[in-house]
Amino acid sequence: MSGTVHLERDRGVGFLVIDNPPVNAGSADVRRALLARIAEVEADATLLAGVLIGAGNSFVAGSDLREFDLPLSPPQLPQVIAALESSAKPWVAALHGAALGGGYELALGCDARIAAAKTEVGLPECGLGIIPGAGGTQKLPRLVGKARAIALICVGTRVKAAEALSLGMIDALAAADLKVEAASLALSLAKDPQGSKRRVIERAPPDDPEAEIEAAVTKATAQGRGRPHILSAIACIRSVGKIPAAEGLATERAEFQRLRILPEAKALRHIFFAERAAGRETGTKVAPLAVRRIGVVGAGTMGAGIALAALQSRLPAVIVDSDPAALERARQRIAGEIDRSQKAGRMSNAVADAARQGLVLSQDMSALSDCDLIIEAVVEDLAVKRQVFRAIEQVARPDALLATNTSYLDIDAIAGATSSPDRVIGLHFFSPANVMKLLEVVAGTASSDQAVATGLAVARALGKQPVRAGNAFGFIGNRIYAAYRAACEFMLEDGALPQEVDAALQGFGFAMGPFAVADLSGLDIAWRMRQQTTATRDPRARYVSIPDRLCEAGRLGRKTGAGYYLYPEGKPVPDPVVDAIVIAASAEKGTARQPLDAETIRRRALAAIVNEAGLVLEEGVARSAGDVDVVLVNGYGFPRWTGGPLHWAGTQDATQLQADCAAAARAAGPDRPIADLAGLGLWPDAG
Ligand code: NAI
């Protein structure tokens, strides 16, 4: 039994208390109980009105997604909502916590909605590859207009109570006691001589100018990457007022049912569950240390971004750098970002003021002495990092957690510079650190459970998506991305041009192609790393010299106005000079160039990703296939709607993909390892 609904009677009002901990998710049991209790209220002559309310911390935070892979058992939500709408008595939704998805649709089936101050309402279904299926697309436009409904539904925005009130998504805010105020609202409707029912579905939508609707459609289609469910949501919203309400509701329901069992919606549910599971501690339960003040060493790109992420989350931050000019640049960048966020309304005045006051910049390491967590973000050089950790240890509190933001270096080698390696972990942020959600939490050999647990807790406190990674070159993400980028470089030598590779992979759904990404990050970082690792490189591994040639020509990417592309007006434009460098590189190796079509490019690039992801999993660097998917989707622009590379792998032909992985390994050089995909359980249905 998952969930129930209690009926409480109080002075003429029947309260239906929805009780399905922890968030009162809508389940078959809840729907069945609701239907029965609505009928009870309807039949009870002593009750004048009904109130829907959630037990515990929330109203209904959404439907139980685990039901979505199966045929939905009756009664379904539209039937429950129809019972509210056809009831002769008025119904009020009393909202607190979250009223999302099916929960908000339940509220839209009531005659009025009142919410406690901290409530969030919204229809987030589009984030899961479906559309609201119980009236959301038909009713929200009637309250807020079509243009606004398109924006809210396609993005899946969660709207805070005060804004929801001003938009008309709710009718009242509870001043003090939600239950009491909901009851009096319900009774006032019951006694209204004009009649007690205020059905949303019967209202005419506001008359939005067509141009506004068009603009909303264009924006939502672009933001939603033109995915099928986005187009479906838009079509449903546009139909409001143009066709009979019953027809609109039936079409919406049919679309919801069609979309929810498509591979794309399944993939999005997979990534939703994988994100929630990632970074959860299994094994021993240790309480994390409280982190109230964060220290950062290194005021460069990453250090300033990490400090900003802390300040945005109301945590004071101290930045130490040996270079006063770097400190000044960080100060200006952070101040500018706080100003912009405040002006744009992304940061409240209170948080912005606290952020300004909470920032300390210093050249003196002792400024870190009262920090609970100190994150090192100096240059990527082991000797420098070891020296910095020794200096940190001199000033840090003995119980402070110490972390490195290294991209590739060995955490154990860094931790070994200190006398307490158990309190050292990796916290690998992504650039820009104040924006990117992903955070790899890397455990070294000596890292204590408490250090790791604190790292995960800090990640969540900063609003990040944590994923646990093992200590190995490039951790999860950079290691897989390196294999992907190498595979794309091989294709340049074999016959493709950068713009062809980028177009093919953008066609698959990557936000950007690998060469446009390289230009954006700067080609010099990898160049420097290649120079540092020349001595240790496997001489038999295939080496593509094209990026070196570009760097030698001063083409370091966007920042120099040229890399794989030219940037005459800020946008990448293919350059014949690059084509010539690419063709010359093939000739140098004696390779006869063969054109590669988009399908071949995609197959080769994705096989390289899947092969390396499989190895990362086999070696235990990632703890689950879901963790790999979360990393690639949140940190590397892998299309979310595929569910990430390993979920995607499970939707492909196993024999073919295994052969492609073997080819990808062969292309990289002799004796390159091949992942055993069959052993990874990627095809759960294969039997
Ligand atoms: P950066 O070059 O922008 O900044 C490094 C800063 O460290 C400079 O301000 C420098 O003055 C300071 N510094 C150097 N030695 C120091 C010392 N002994 N004491 C105090 N300060 C010192 O470098 P960036 O890009 O911010 O990278 C920092 C770290 O983050 C590196 O380990 C890098 O691999 C890693 N990382 C970089 C990413 C990126 O996209 N840039 C992404 C993720 C990690």
Side-chain angles (χ1 to χ4, degrees), residues 297-303 320-323 326 329 365 376-380 384-385 387-388 405-407 428-431 525:
V297 185
T301 311
M302 294 308 289
V320 172
D321 199 297
S322 47
D323 176 4
R329 280 194 300 274
M365 281 283 193
E376 166 278 314
V378 303
V379 284
E380 185 78 344
V384 176
K385 285 194 193 290
Q387 187 209 330
V388 165
N405 183 48
T406 181
S407 309
H428 183 218
F429 289 80
F430 289 72
S431 183
I525 301 173

PDB file of all heavy atoms in Angstrom, residues 297-303 320-323 326 329 365 376-380 384-385 387-388 405-407 428-431 525, ligand 1:
ATOM      1  N   VAL A 297      42.533  28.539  -2.216  1.00  0.00           N
ATOM      2  CA  VAL A 297      43.894  28.989  -2.534  1.00  0.00           C
ATOM      3  C   VAL A 297      44.027  29.005  -4.051  1.00  0.00           C
ATOM      4  O   VAL A 297      43.824  27.979  -4.701  1.00  0.00           O
ATOM      5  CB  VAL A 297      44.965  28.064  -1.920  1.00  0.00           C
ATOM      6  CG1 VAL A 297      46.364  28.632  -2.182  1.00  0.00           C
ATOM      7  CG2 VAL A 297      44.734  27.901  -0.426  1.00  0.00           C
ATOM      8  N   GLY A 298      44.376  30.177  -4.592  1.00  0.00           N
ATOM      9  CA  GLY A 298      44.415  30.351  -6.049  1.00  0.00           C
ATOM     10  C   GLY A 298      43.229  31.201  -6.458  1.00  0.00           C
ATOM     11  O   GLY A 298      42.078  30.818  -6.263  1.00  0.00           O
ATOM     12  N   ALA A 299      43.517  32.403  -6.992  1.00  0.00           N
ATOM     13  CA  ALA A 299      42.443  33.340  -7.325  1.00  0.00           C
ATOM     14  C   ALA A 299      42.199  33.397  -8.825  1.00  0.00           C
ATOM     15  O   ALA A 299      41.687  34.371  -9.355  1.00  0.00           O
ATOM     16  CB  ALA A 299      42.791  34.736  -6.796  1.00  0.00           C
ATOM     17  N   GLY A 300      42.575  32.312  -9.529  1.00  0.00           N
ATOM     18  CA  GLY A 300      42.411  32.305 -10.986  1.00  0.00           C
ATOM     19  C   GLY A 300      40.992  31.983 -11.411  1.00  0.00           C
ATOM     20  O   GLY A 300      40.032  32.171 -10.650  1.00  0.00           O
ATOM     21  N   THR A 301      40.880  31.485 -12.639  1.00  0.00           N
ATOM     22  CA  THR A 301      39.568  31.155 -13.216  1.00  0.00           C
ATOM     23  C   THR A 301      38.741  30.314 -12.249  1.00  0.00           C
ATOM     24  O   THR A 301      37.592  30.632 -11.947  1.00  0.00           O
ATOM     25  CB  THR A 301      39.781  30.320 -14.496  1.00  0.00           C
ATOM     26  OG1 THR A 301      40.752  30.986 -15.296  1.00  0.00           O
ATOM     27  CG2 THR A 301      38.512  30.127 -15.266  1.00  0.00           C
ATOM     28  N   MET A 302      39.346  29.237 -11.756  1.00  0.00           N
ATOM     29  CA  MET A 302      38.579  28.302 -10.940  1.00  0.00           C
ATOM     30  C   MET A 302      38.412  28.807  -9.510  1.00  0.00           C
ATOM     31  O   MET A 302      37.314  28.736  -8.952  1.00  0.00           O
ATOM     32  CB  MET A 302      39.245  26.925 -10.943  1.00  0.00           C
ATOM     33  CG  MET A 302      39.235  26.249 -12.288  1.00  0.00           C
ATOM     34  SD  MET A 302      37.591  26.161 -13.048  1.00  0.00           S
ATOM     35  CE  MET A 302      36.793  24.954 -12.022  1.00  0.00           C
ATOM     36  N   GLY A 303      39.489  29.311  -8.917  1.00  0.00           N
ATOM     37  CA  GLY A 303      39.409  29.764  -7.530  1.00  0.00           C
ATOM     38  C   GLY A 303      38.335  30.833  -7.352  1.00  0.00           C
ATOM     39  O   GLY A 303      37.501  30.761  -6.429  1.00  0.00           O
ATOM     40  N   VAL A 320      43.009  33.141  -1.057  1.00  0.00           N
ATOM     41  CA  VAL A 320      44.425  33.491  -0.884  1.00  0.00           C
ATOM     42  C   VAL A 320      45.146  33.227  -2.197  1.00  0.00           C
ATOM     43  O   VAL A 320      44.932  32.194  -2.831  1.00  0.00           O
ATOM     44  CB  VAL A 320      45.056  32.652   0.251  1.00  0.00           C
ATOM     45  CG1 VAL A 320      46.568  32.863   0.289  1.00  0.00           C
ATOM     46  CG2 VAL A 320      44.435  33.007   1.589  1.00  0.00           C
ATOM     47  N   ASP A 321      45.970  34.197  -2.625  1.00  0.00           N
ATOM     48  CA  ASP A 321      46.802  34.007  -3.813  1.00  0.00           C
ATOM     49  C   ASP A 321      48.106  34.741  -3.564  1.00  0.00           C
ATOM     50  O   ASP A 321      48.120  35.779  -2.885  1.00  0.00           O
ATOM     51  CB  ASP A 321      46.079  34.572  -5.053  1.00  0.00           C
ATOM     52  CG  ASP A 321      46.643  34.015  -6.356  1.00  0.00           C
ATOM     53  OD1 ASP A 321      47.839  34.269  -6.644  1.00  0.00           O
ATOM     54  OD2 ASP A 321      45.894  33.341  -7.095  1.00  0.00           O
ATOM     55  N   SER A 322      49.198  34.201  -4.107  1.00  0.00           N
ATOM     56  CA  SER A 322      50.487  34.869  -3.901  1.00  0.00           C
ATOM     57  C   SER A 322      50.610  36.105  -4.782  1.00  0.00           C
ATOM     58  O   SER A 322      51.436  36.982  -4.530  1.00  0.00           O
ATOM     59  CB  SER A 322      51.620  33.887  -4.197  1.00  0.00           C
ATOM     60  OG  SER A 322      51.354  33.219  -5.413  1.00  0.00           O
ATOM     61  N   ASP A 323      49.759  36.205  -5.808  1.00  0.00           N
ATOM     62  CA  ASP A 323      49.879  37.289  -6.779  1.00  0.00           C
ATOM     63  C   ASP A 323      48.789  38.349  -6.531  1.00  0.00           C
ATOM     64  O   ASP A 323      47.601  38.073  -6.723  1.00  0.00           O
ATOM     65  CB  ASP A 323      49.735  36.666  -8.180  1.00  0.00           C
ATOM     66  CG  ASP A 323      49.737  37.709  -9.279  1.00  0.00           C
ATOM     67  OD1 ASP A 323      49.926  38.905  -8.972  1.00  0.00           O
ATOM     68  OD2 ASP A 323      49.532  37.320 -10.446  1.00  0.00           O
ATOM     69  N   ALA A 326      46.327  38.924  -9.344  1.00  0.00           N
ATOM     70  CA  ALA A 326      45.301  37.881  -9.483  1.00  0.00           C
ATOM     71  C   ALA A 326      44.179  38.112  -8.478  1.00  0.00           C
ATOM     72  O   ALA A 326      42.994  37.957  -8.801  1.00  0.00           O
ATOM     73  CB  ALA A 326      45.921  36.500  -9.275  1.00  0.00           C
ATOM     74  N   ARG A 329      42.002  40.933  -9.782  1.00  0.00           N
ATOM     75  CA  ARG A 329      41.115  40.476 -10.872  1.00  0.00           C
ATOM     76  C   ARG A 329      39.951  39.660 -10.307  1.00  0.00           C
ATOM     77  O   ARG A 329      38.814  39.804 -10.732  1.00  0.00           O
ATOM     78  CB  ARG A 329      41.901  39.618 -11.878  1.00  0.00           C
ATOM     79  CG  ARG A 329      42.725  40.415 -12.875  1.00  0.00           C
ATOM     80  CD  ARG A 329      43.194  39.524 -14.029  1.00  0.00           C
ATOM     81  NE  ARG A 329      44.012  38.405 -13.580  1.00  0.00           N
ATOM     82  CZ  ARG A 329      45.341  38.468 -13.376  1.00  0.00           C
ATOM     83  NH1 ARG A 329      45.994  39.602 -13.582  1.00  0.00           N
ATOM     84  NH2 ARG A 329      46.001  37.401 -12.969  1.00  0.00           N
ATOM     85  N   MET A 365      48.445  33.261   3.908  1.00  0.00           N
ATOM     86  CA  MET A 365      47.809  31.964   4.160  1.00  0.00           C
ATOM     87  C   MET A 365      47.075  31.925   5.506  1.00  0.00           C
ATOM     88  O   MET A 365      46.092  31.196   5.653  1.00  0.00           O
ATOM     89  CB  MET A 365      48.870  30.853   4.169  1.00  0.00           C
ATOM     90  CG  MET A 365      49.292  30.421   2.799  1.00  0.00           C
ATOM     91  SD  MET A 365      48.017  29.363   2.071  1.00  0.00           S
ATOM     92  CE  MET A 365      48.911  28.704   0.694  1.00  0.00           C
ATOM     93  N   GLU A 376      42.123  23.921  -2.732  1.00  0.00           N
ATOM     94  CA  GLU A 376      43.284  24.401  -3.485  1.00  0.00           C
ATOM     95  C   GLU A 376      42.934  24.446  -4.964  1.00  0.00           C
ATOM     96  O   GLU A 376      42.409  23.472  -5.523  1.00  0.00           O
ATOM     97  CB  GLU A 376      44.466  23.460  -3.193  1.00  0.00           C
ATOM     98  CG  GLU A 376      45.653  23.601  -4.117  1.00  0.00           C
ATOM     99  CD  GLU A 376      45.462  22.838  -5.412  1.00  0.00           C
ATOM    100  OE1 GLU A 376      45.024  21.672  -5.360  1.00  0.00           O
ATOM    101  OE2 GLU A 376      45.725  23.420  -6.474  1.00  0.00           O
ATOM    102  N   ALA A 377      43.189  25.592  -5.606  1.00  0.00           N
ATOM    103  CA  ALA A 377      42.945  25.738  -7.047  1.00  0.00           C
ATOM    104  C   ALA A 377      44.087  26.529  -7.677  1.00  0.00           C
ATOM    105  O   ALA A 377      43.867  27.513  -8.373  1.00  0.00           O
ATOM    106  CB  ALA A 377      41.597  26.417  -7.298  1.00  0.00           C
ATOM    107  N   VAL A 378      45.322  26.127  -7.385  1.00  0.00           N
ATOM    108  CA  VAL A 378      46.479  26.768  -8.024  1.00  0.00           C
ATOM    109  C   VAL A 378      46.805  26.003  -9.305  1.00  0.00           C
ATOM    110  O   VAL A 378      46.081  25.088  -9.682  1.00  0.00           O
ATOM    111  CB  VAL A 378      47.713  26.828  -7.074  1.00  0.00           C
ATOM    112  CG1 VAL A 378      47.353  27.557  -5.787  1.00  0.00           C
ATOM    113  CG2 VAL A 378      48.255  25.448  -6.761  1.00  0.00           C
ATOM    114  N   VAL A 379      47.883  26.391  -9.968  1.00  0.00           N
ATOM    115  CA  VAL A 379      48.200  25.800 -11.279  1.00  0.00           C
ATOM    116  C   VAL A 379      48.309  24.273 -11.206  1.00  0.00           C
ATOM    117  O   VAL A 379      48.633  23.710 -10.168  1.00  0.00           O
ATOM    118  CB  VAL A 379      49.526  26.370 -11.835  1.00  0.00           C
ATOM    119  CG1 VAL A 379      49.313  27.765 -12.363  1.00  0.00           C
ATOM    120  CG2 VAL A 379      50.615  26.341 -10.779  1.00  0.00           C
ATOM    121  N   GLU A 380      48.066  23.638 -12.352  1.00  0.00           N
ATOM    122  CA  GLU A 380      48.049  22.167 -12.420  1.00  0.00           C
ATOM    123  C   GLU A 380      49.492  21.644 -12.467  1.00  0.00           C
ATOM    124  O   GLU A 380      50.017  21.290 -13.528  1.00  0.00           O
ATOM    125  CB  GLU A 380      47.241  21.748 -13.654  1.00  0.00           C
ATOM    126  CG  GLU A 380      47.020  20.254 -13.791  1.00  0.00           C
ATOM    127  CD  GLU A 380      45.926  19.700 -12.892  1.00  0.00           C
ATOM    128  OE1 GLU A 380      45.528  20.388 -11.940  1.00  0.00           O
ATOM    129  OE2 GLU A 380      45.485  18.572 -13.152  1.00  0.00           O
ATOM    130  N   VAL A 384      54.015  22.123  -7.209  1.00  0.00           N
ATOM    131  CA  VAL A 384      53.436  23.344  -6.637  1.00  0.00           C
ATOM    132  C   VAL A 384      52.295  22.975  -5.685  1.00  0.00           C
ATOM    133  O   VAL A 384      52.195  23.498  -4.571  1.00  0.00           O
ATOM    134  CB  VAL A 384      52.920  24.287  -7.754  1.00  0.00           C
ATOM    135  CG1 VAL A 384      52.241  25.508  -7.153  1.00  0.00           C
ATOM    136  CG2 VAL A 384      54.065  24.707  -8.671  1.00  0.00           C
ATOM    137  N   LYS A 385      51.459  22.041  -6.096  1.00  0.00           N
ATOM    138  CA  LYS A 385      50.306  21.676  -5.260  1.00  0.00           C
ATOM    139  C   LYS A 385      50.775  21.054  -3.941  1.00  0.00           C
ATOM    140  O   LYS A 385      50.228  21.345  -2.877  1.00  0.00           O
ATOM    141  CB  LYS A 385      49.378  20.719  -6.013  1.00  0.00           C
ATOM    142  CG  LYS A 385      48.539  21.424  -7.093  1.00  0.00           C
ATOM    143  CD  LYS A 385      47.407  20.560  -7.572  1.00  0.00           C
ATOM    144  CE  LYS A 385      46.732  21.053  -8.850  1.00  0.00           C
ATOM    145  NZ  LYS A 385      45.935  22.256  -8.731  1.00  0.00           N
ATOM    146  N   GLN A 387      53.520  21.630  -2.385  1.00  0.00           N
ATOM    147  CA  GLN A 387      54.072  22.705  -1.554  1.00  0.00           C
ATOM    148  C   GLN A 387      52.936  23.546  -0.949  1.00  0.00           C
ATOM    149  O   GLN A 387      52.966  23.902   0.233  1.00  0.00           O
ATOM    150  CB  GLN A 387      54.972  23.560  -2.459  1.00  0.00           C
ATOM    151  CG  GLN A 387      55.763  24.615  -1.760  1.00  0.00           C
ATOM    152  CD  GLN A 387      56.027  25.787  -2.712  1.00  0.00           C
ATOM    153  OE1 GLN A 387      56.118  25.602  -3.932  1.00  0.00           O
ATOM    154  NE2 GLN A 387      56.119  26.972  -2.147  1.00  0.00           N
ATOM    155  N   VAL A 388      51.906  23.800  -1.747  1.00  0.00           N
ATOM    156  CA  VAL A 388      50.770  24.585  -1.249  1.00  0.00           C
ATOM    157  C   VAL A 388      50.057  23.811  -0.126  1.00  0.00           C
ATOM    158  O   VAL A 388      49.676  24.388   0.898  1.00  0.00           O
ATOM    159  CB  VAL A 388      49.800  24.924  -2.406  1.00  0.00           C
ATOM    160  CG1 VAL A 388      48.463  25.411  -1.875  1.00  0.00           C
ATOM    161  CG2 VAL A 388      50.423  25.973  -3.324  1.00  0.00           C
ATOM    162  N   ASN A 405      41.333  20.917  -6.367  1.00  0.00           N
ATOM    163  CA  ASN A 405      40.484  21.002  -7.556  1.00  0.00           C
ATOM    164  C   ASN A 405      41.225  20.468  -8.785  1.00  0.00           C
ATOM    165  O   ASN A 405      40.864  20.769  -9.917  1.00  0.00           O
ATOM    166  CB  ASN A 405      40.076  22.471  -7.768  1.00  0.00           C
ATOM    167  CG  ASN A 405      39.139  22.665  -8.939  1.00  0.00           C
ATOM    168  OD1 ASN A 405      38.162  21.950  -9.078  1.00  0.00           O
ATOM    169  ND2 ASN A 405      39.438  23.622  -9.813  1.00  0.00           N
ATOM    170  N   THR A 406      42.245  19.670  -8.573  1.00  0.00           N
ATOM    171  CA  THR A 406      43.025  19.190  -9.720  1.00  0.00           C
ATOM    172  C   THR A 406      42.152  18.503 -10.772  1.00  0.00           C
ATOM    173  O   THR A 406      41.168  17.847 -10.439  1.00  0.00           O
ATOM    174  CB  THR A 406      44.139  18.222  -9.272  1.00  0.00           C
ATOM    175  OG1 THR A 406      44.863  17.828 -10.436  1.00  0.00           O
ATOM    176  CG2 THR A 406      43.593  16.991  -8.583  1.00  0.00           C
ATOM    177  N   SER A 407      42.551  18.657 -12.034  1.00  0.00           N
ATOM    178  CA  SER A 407      41.805  18.039 -13.129  1.00  0.00           C
ATOM    179  C   SER A 407      42.261  16.614 -13.382  1.00  0.00           C
ATOM    180  O   SER A 407      41.472  15.773 -13.793  1.00  0.00           O
ATOM    181  CB  SER A 407      42.016  18.828 -14.423  1.00  0.00           C
ATOM    182  OG  SER A 407      41.766  20.188 -14.245  1.00  0.00           O
ATOM    183  N   HIS A 428      36.425  18.253  -7.682  1.00  0.00           N
ATOM    184  CA  HIS A 428      36.680  18.685  -9.049  1.00  0.00           C
ATOM    185  C   HIS A 428      35.485  19.458  -9.590  1.00  0.00           C
ATOM    186  O   HIS A 428      34.468  18.877  -9.979  1.00  0.00           O
ATOM    187  CB  HIS A 428      36.991  17.461  -9.931  1.00  0.00           C
ATOM    188  CG  HIS A 428      37.333  17.825 -11.338  1.00  0.00           C
ATOM    189  ND1 HIS A 428      36.947  17.099 -12.426  1.00  0.00           N
ATOM    190  CD2 HIS A 428      38.028  18.878 -11.830  1.00  0.00           C
ATOM    191  CE1 HIS A 428      37.384  17.675 -13.528  1.00  0.00           C
ATOM    192  NE2 HIS A 428      38.040  18.759 -13.194  1.00  0.00           N
ATOM    193  N   PHE A 429      35.635  20.792  -9.574  1.00  0.00           N
ATOM    194  CA  PHE A 429      34.599  21.682 -10.113  1.00  0.00           C
ATOM    195  C   PHE A 429      34.793  21.811 -11.623  1.00  0.00           C
ATOM    196  O   PHE A 429      35.862  21.552 -12.152  1.00  0.00           O
ATOM    197  CB  PHE A 429      34.715  23.078  -9.491  1.00  0.00           C
ATOM    198  CG  PHE A 429      34.311  23.169  -8.046  1.00  0.00           C
ATOM    199  CD1 PHE A 429      35.178  22.771  -7.042  1.00  0.00           C
ATOM    200  CD2 PHE A 429      33.064  23.674  -7.683  1.00  0.00           C
ATOM    201  CE1 PHE A 429      34.822  22.874  -5.703  1.00  0.00           C
ATOM    202  CE2 PHE A 429      32.697  23.782  -6.348  1.00  0.00           C
ATOM    203  CZ  PHE A 429      33.574  23.382  -5.354  1.00  0.00           C
ATOM    204  N   PHE A 430      33.775  22.295 -12.293  1.00  0.00           N
ATOM    205  CA  PHE A 430      33.832  22.519 -13.731  1.00  0.00           C
ATOM    206  C   PHE A 430      33.692  24.003 -14.014  1.00  0.00           C
ATOM    207  O   PHE A 430      33.121  24.733 -13.215  1.00  0.00           O
ATOM    208  CB  PHE A 430      32.735  21.694 -14.424  1.00  0.00           C
ATOM    209  CG  PHE A 430      33.062  20.225 -14.385  1.00  0.00           C
ATOM    210  CD1 PHE A 430      32.971  19.515 -13.198  1.00  0.00           C
ATOM    211  CD2 PHE A 430      33.534  19.584 -15.509  1.00  0.00           C
ATOM    212  CE1 PHE A 430      33.334  18.179 -13.135  1.00  0.00           C
ATOM    213  CE2 PHE A 430      33.902  18.251 -15.453  1.00  0.00           C
ATOM    214  CZ  PHE A 430      33.795  17.552 -14.265  1.00  0.00           C
ATOM    215  N   SER A 431      34.233  24.425 -15.115  1.00  0.00           N
ATOM    216  CA  SER A 431      34.291  25.854 -15.424  1.00  0.00           C
ATOM    217  C   SER A 431      33.075  26.280 -16.252  1.00  0.00           C
ATOM    218  O   SER A 431      32.752  25.586 -17.221  1.00  0.00           O
ATOM    219  CB  SER A 431      35.577  26.140 -16.208  1.00  0.00           C
ATOM    220  OG  SER A 431      35.680  27.505 -16.462  1.00  0.00           O
ATOM    221  N   ILE A 525      45.875  24.676 -22.874  1.00  0.00           N
ATOM    222  CA  ILE A 525      45.910  23.871 -21.644  1.00  0.00           C
ATOM    223  C   ILE A 525      46.377  22.451 -21.982  1.00  0.00           C
ATOM    224  O   ILE A 525      47.316  21.930 -21.385  1.00  0.00           O
ATOM    225  CB  ILE A 525      44.521  23.838 -20.973  1.00  0.00           C
ATOM    226  CG1 ILE A 525      44.073  25.265 -20.634  1.00  0.00           C
ATOM    227  CG2 ILE A 525      44.541  22.967 -19.724  1.00  0.00           C
ATOM    228  CD1 ILE A 525      42.651  25.370 -20.129  1.00  0.00           C
TER     229      ILE A 525
HETATM  230  P1  NAI B   1      44.657  29.847 -13.168  1.00  0.00           P
HETATM  231  O1  NAI B   1      46.004  29.871 -13.790  1.00  0.00           O
HETATM  232  O2  NAI B   1      43.576  30.692 -13.720  1.00  0.00           O
HETATM  233  O3  NAI B   1      44.804  30.228 -11.627  1.00  0.00           O
HETATM  234  C1  NAI B   1      45.798  29.724 -10.772  1.00  0.00           C
HETATM  235  C2  NAI B   1      46.042  30.745  -9.672  1.00  0.00           C
HETATM  236  O4  NAI B   1      46.844  30.153  -8.671  1.00  0.00           O
HETATM  237  C3  NAI B   1      46.758  31.993 -10.137  1.00  0.00           C
HETATM  238  O5  NAI B   1      46.036  33.127  -9.756  1.00  0.00           O
HETATM  239  C4  NAI B   1      48.117  31.945  -9.405  1.00  0.00           C
HETATM  240  O6  NAI B   1      48.565  33.224  -9.027  1.00  0.00           O
HETATM  241  C5  NAI B   1      47.760  31.129  -8.181  1.00  0.00           C
HETATM  242  N1  NAI B   1      48.890  30.446  -7.584  1.00  0.00           N
HETATM  243  C6  NAI B   1      49.867  29.754  -8.208  1.00  0.00           C
HETATM  244  N2  NAI B   1      50.749  29.279  -7.307  1.00  0.00           N
HETATM  245  C7  NAI B   1      50.300  29.676  -6.094  1.00  0.00           C
HETATM  246  C8  NAI B   1      50.787  29.507  -4.775  1.00  0.00           C
HETATM  247  N3  NAI B   1      51.903  28.804  -4.534  1.00  0.00           N
HETATM  248  N4  NAI B   1      50.104  30.053  -3.771  1.00  0.00           N
HETATM  249  C9  NAI B   1      48.985  30.747  -3.997  1.00  0.00           C
HETATM  250  N5  NAI B   1      48.494  30.965  -5.238  1.00  0.00           N
HETATM  251  C10 NAI B   1      49.150  30.420  -6.275  1.00  0.00           C
HETATM  252  O7  NAI B   1      44.238  28.307 -13.137  1.00  0.00           O
HETATM  253  P2  NAI B   1      42.776  27.656 -13.183  1.00  0.00           P
HETATM  254  O8  NAI B   1      42.344  27.488 -14.583  1.00  0.00           O
HETATM  255  O9  NAI B   1      41.914  28.381 -12.234  1.00  0.00           O
HETATM  256  O10 NAI B   1      43.077  26.190 -12.624  1.00  0.00           O
HETATM  257  C11 NAI B   1      43.335  25.950 -11.255  1.00  0.00           C
HETATM  258  C12 NAI B   1      43.210  24.465 -10.969  1.00  0.00           C
HETATM  259  O11 NAI B   1      41.911  24.038 -11.289  1.00  0.00           O
HETATM  260  C13 NAI B   1      44.154  23.581 -11.773  1.00  0.00           C
HETATM  261  O12 NAI B   1      44.543  22.498 -10.977  1.00  0.00           O
HETATM  262  C14 NAI B   1      43.276  23.117 -12.916  1.00  0.00           C
HETATM  263  O13 NAI B   1      43.710  21.901 -13.460  1.00  0.00           O
HETATM  264  C15 NAI B   1      41.966  22.955 -12.198  1.00  0.00           C
HETATM  265  N6  NAI B   1      40.775  23.025 -13.054  1.00  0.00           N
HETATM  266  C16 NAI B   1      40.680  23.935 -14.075  1.00  0.00           C
HETATM  267  C17 NAI B   1      39.562  23.985 -14.881  1.00  0.00           C
HETATM  268  C18 NAI B   1      39.450  25.005 -15.968  1.00  0.00           C
HETATM  269  O14 NAI B   1      38.552  24.867 -16.815  1.00  0.00           O
HETATM  270  N7  NAI B   1      40.267  26.039 -16.006  1.00  0.00           N
HETATM  271  C19 NAI B   1      38.426  23.054 -14.668  1.00  0.00           C
HETATM  272  C20 NAI B   1      38.598  22.200 -13.523  1.00  0.00           C
HETATM  273  C21 NAI B   1      39.742  22.175 -12.781  1.00  0.00           C
END
